[in-house]
Amino acid sequence: MNGATTIQERLKDLRLNKGLKLEELAEQTGISKSALGSYEKDDYKEINHGNLILLANFYGVSLDYLFCRTENRAEINTPLRELHLSDEMVALLKSGRINNRLLCELATHKDFIKFLADIEIYVDGIATMQIQNLNALVDTVRHEIIERYRPGED
């Protein structure tokens, strides 16, 4: 996840992610290099709202993203119904009882499918059933071996 916490950091990160120098960004947006440079300075407090809209459109992000009100860059206004979340899950996500940032990183991790499979094995008790089956098989084979070598004795 992006660690930017200010508009200035977001603007700089977005520019660097596109591999642009201030001069190139100025050419492509029509905003002066000096204005763009000042927008990225930590001590700059005021940014022209028209330029903010232009930059948000240029980078394909929402103003909420620039204002650090959301981490969503591409999915700006996804309706909740498209996410197929239960009311309980929405309430949990909104409650602050879990770390949503960590949950997002977990869900987008390259090994997330393996993790889900492991959880399914645990939740569905598949591993427990397999272990019980193996234990039963071991008991049966043990009993057969004992009968073969020590008939009549258990």
Short mmCIF file of all heavy atoms in Angstrom, two decimals, residues 20 41 55 65 89 96 109 111 120 129 135 153:
data_model
loop_
_atom_site.label_atom_id
_atom_site.label_comp_id
_atom_site.label_asym_id
_atom_site.label_seq_id
_atom_site.Cartn_x
_atom_site.Cartn_y
_atom_site.Cartn_z
N LEU A 20 7.56 10.63 -14.56
CA LEU A 20 7.61 11.97 -15.14
C LEU A 20 8.47 12.92 -14.32
O LEU A 20 8.48 12.86 -13.09
CB LEU A 20 6.19 12.56 -15.23
CG LEU A 20 5.20 11.86 -16.14
CD1 LEU A 20 3.82 12.47 -15.98
CD2 LEU A 20 5.66 11.93 -17.59
N LYS A 41 5.79 20.42 -2.39
CA LYS A 41 6.58 20.80 -1.21
C LYS A 41 5.77 20.60 0.06
O LYS A 41 4.59 20.88 0.11
CB LYS A 41 7.03 22.26 -1.32
CG LYS A 41 8.08 22.49 -2.36
CD LYS A 41 8.54 23.92 -2.34
CE LYS A 41 9.57 24.15 -3.44
NZ LYS A 41 9.93 25.56 -3.53
N LEU A 55 -5.26 17.51 -12.28
CA LEU A 55 -4.29 16.47 -11.92
C LEU A 55 -4.98 15.14 -11.59
O LEU A 55 -4.49 14.07 -11.97
CB LEU A 55 -3.41 16.94 -10.75
CG LEU A 55 -2.40 18.04 -11.11
CD1 LEU A 55 -1.80 18.65 -9.85
CD2 LEU A 55 -1.32 17.49 -12.02
N TYR A 65 -8.89 10.45 -3.33
CA TYR A 65 -7.57 9.80 -3.28
C TYR A 65 -6.49 10.85 -3.06
O TYR A 65 -5.59 10.67 -2.23
CB TYR A 65 -7.31 9.00 -4.56
CG TYR A 65 -5.96 8.33 -4.53
CD1 TYR A 65 -5.77 7.17 -3.79
CD2 TYR A 65 -4.86 8.87 -5.20
CE1 TYR A 65 -4.52 6.56 -3.72
CE2 TYR A 65 -3.62 8.27 -5.14
CZ TYR A 65 -3.46 7.12 -4.40
OH TYR A 65 -2.22 6.52 -4.32
N MET A 89 -20.34 -8.24 7.19
CA MET A 89 -18.99 -7.90 6.74
C MET A 89 -18.82 -6.39 6.61
O MET A 89 -17.79 -5.84 7.01
CB MET A 89 -18.68 -8.59 5.41
CG MET A 89 -17.25 -8.41 4.97
SD MET A 89 -16.13 -9.18 6.19
CE MET A 89 -14.57 -8.78 5.47
N GLY A 96 -13.83 -0.84 12.69
CA GLY A 96 -12.47 -0.60 13.17
C GLY A 96 -11.94 -1.73 14.05
O GLY A 96 -10.85 -1.63 14.61
N HIS A 109 -2.26 -10.40 -1.79
CA HIS A 109 -0.96 -11.09 -1.77
C HIS A 109 -0.95 -12.22 -2.81
O HIS A 109 -1.99 -12.85 -3.06
CB HIS A 109 -0.70 -11.66 -0.37
CG HIS A 109 0.67 -12.17 -0.18
ND1 HIS A 109 1.05 -13.44 -0.57
CD2 HIS A 109 1.78 -11.59 0.34
CE1 HIS A 109 2.32 -13.62 -0.28
NE2 HIS A 109 2.79 -12.51 0.27
N ASP A 111 0.07 -15.18 -2.69
CA ASP A 111 -0.25 -16.51 -2.15
C ASP A 111 -1.61 -16.56 -1.46
O ASP A 111 -1.88 -17.49 -0.69
CB ASP A 111 0.84 -16.96 -1.17
CG ASP A 111 2.15 -17.25 -1.87
OD1 ASP A 111 2.12 -17.73 -3.02
OD2 ASP A 111 3.21 -17.00 -1.26
N GLU A 120 -9.91 -23.08 4.26
CA GLU A 120 -11.02 -23.98 3.95
C GLU A 120 -10.78 -25.37 4.52
O GLU A 120 -11.68 -26.00 5.08
CB GLU A 120 -11.22 -24.06 2.43
CG GLU A 120 -12.46 -24.85 2.05
CD GLU A 120 -12.74 -24.79 0.56
OE1 GLU A 120 -12.28 -23.85 -0.11
OE2 GLU A 120 -13.46 -25.70 0.09
N MET A 129 -10.56 -34.78 9.30
CA MET A 129 -11.15 -36.02 8.79
C MET A 129 -10.07 -36.93 8.20
O MET A 129 -10.08 -38.14 8.43
CB MET A 129 -12.20 -35.72 7.72
CG MET A 129 -13.48 -35.11 8.27
SD MET A 129 -14.75 -34.88 7.01
CE MET A 129 -14.04 -33.57 6.03
N ASN A 135 -5.57 -42.43 11.08
CA ASN A 135 -5.48 -43.10 12.38
C ASN A 135 -6.26 -44.41 12.38
O ASN A 135 -5.81 -45.43 12.92
CB ASN A 135 -5.97 -42.20 13.51
CG ASN A 135 -4.95 -41.13 13.86
OD1 ASN A 135 -3.77 -41.27 13.58
ND2 ASN A 135 -5.43 -40.05 14.48
N GLU A 153 -3.59 -62.78 20.93
CA GLU A 153 -3.17 -61.76 21.88
C GLU A 153 -3.40 -60.39 21.29
O GLU A 153 -3.10 -60.13 20.14
CB GLU A 153 -1.67 -61.89 22.22
CG GLU A 153 -1.32 -63.18 22.91
CD GLU A 153 0.18 -63.23 23.17
OE1 GLU A 153 0.82 -62.16 23.26
OE2 GLU A 153 0.71 -64.35 23.30
#
